């Protein structure tokens, strides 16, 4: 039993007896954590080389996925104060990862989008993660893949 698994079971124990369902959820949570951590070194190598902070990375990904987007929308989505978002965006602009553009609908407003360099960093990281995920999925049989797809569809809905 790993530390995370033990913590989940301890929290559950305090409220009621541990059920089979509680144990299954804790086991699944621990396994997902293990799978996530397994490729962390490869997944984060590009990120570490870029020396982005976690906050900068979160903003960069948000702009990449939603851009062009207003800075106040980024702040709202990430739950950070607009002045914090402004500072983070400024550092990303200085590093040529994000650029500001005039909003065609409101010339006073500025929209953000990733630069070619910023998009490249996100895509590089995504490629590594996707390759690792595919490597794990290829270990499953066709019926297991079908079952996993069905389960993930339920979880995603």
């Amino acid at each position: 039993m790993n530390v995370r698994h033990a913590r989940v079971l301890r929290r559950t124990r305090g409220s009621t007896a541990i059920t089979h369902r509680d144990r299954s959820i804790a086991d699944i949570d621990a396994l997902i954590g293990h799978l996530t951590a397994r490729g962390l070194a490869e997944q984060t190598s590009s990120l570490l080389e870029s020396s982005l902070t976690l906050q900068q990375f979160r903003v960069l990904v948000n702009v990449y996925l939603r851009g062009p987007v207003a800075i106040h929308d980024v702040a709202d989505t990430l739950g950070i104060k607009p002045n914090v978002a402004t500072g983070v965006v400024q550092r990303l602009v200085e590093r040529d990862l994000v650029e500001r553009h005039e909003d065609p609908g409101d010339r006073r407003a500025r929209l953000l989008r990733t630069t070619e360099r910023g998009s490249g960093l996100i895509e590089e990281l995504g490629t590594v993660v996707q390759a690792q995920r595919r490597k794990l999925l290829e270990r499953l049989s066709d019926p297991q893949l079908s079952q996993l797809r069905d389960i993930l569809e339920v979880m995603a809905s």
Side-chain angles (χ1 to χ4, degrees):
M1 180 182 320
N2 67 30
V3 175
R4 187 174 187 197
H5 186 238
R7 263 190 251 132
V8 170
L9 289 178
R10 258 197 312 277
R11 272 183 292 187
T12 312
R13 244 185 239 136
S15 55
T16 60
I18 299 171
T19 66
H20 176 70
R21 180 178 177 83
D22 293 332
R23 185 170 297 282
S24 293
I25 289 171
D27 288 345
I28 291 166
D29 183 49
L31 288 166
I32 289 171
H34 174 73
L35 288 173
T36 302
R38 183 185 230 175
L40 208 51
E42 290 175 44
Q43 293 173 13
T44 56
S45 63
S46 299
L47 184 59
L48 291 174
E49 288 170 14
S50 70
S51 67
L52 288 177
T53 66
L54 181 57
Q55 193 77 291
Q56 290 169 345
F57 180 68
R58 290 178 69 217
V59 170
L60 180 63
V61 169
N62 192 272
V63 172
Y64 175 80
L65 294 173
R66 300 178 57 219
V69 61
I71 195 164
H72 64 84
D73 290 332
V74 171
D76 288 346
T77 300
L78 298 178
I80 58 178
K81 294 180 180 176
N83 63 327
V84 172
T86 299
V88 172
V89 166
Q90 181 57 39
R91 286 185 285 286
L92 292 172
V93 167
E94 290 167 1
R95 298 178 75 172
D96 190 35
L97 297 171
V98 168
E99 55 192 10
R100 294 183 188 100
H101 291 278
E102 190 176 281
D103 182 346
D106 180 358
R107 292 167 43 128
R108 296 169 297 162
R110 308 289 276 165
L111 297 177
L112 307 171
R113 69 173 155 231
T114 54
T115 62
E116 191 173 312
R117 184 170 178 229
S119 295
L121 178 63
I122 298 297
E123 289 164 7
E124 181 182 332
L125 183 60
T127 300
V128 170
V129 171
Q130 187 177 24
Q132 288 177 332
R133 210 173 30 232
R134 183 168 184 89
K135 190 174 165 183
L136 290 171
L137 292 171
E138 285 175 348
R139 295 170 45 188
L140 300 177
S141 67
D142 288 347
Q144 289 170 324
L145 284 170
S146 180
Q147 186 177 24
L148 180 58
R149 183 195 60 234
D150 293 346
I151 290 168
L152 291 174
E153 283 177 352
V154 169
M155 291 176 73
S157 62

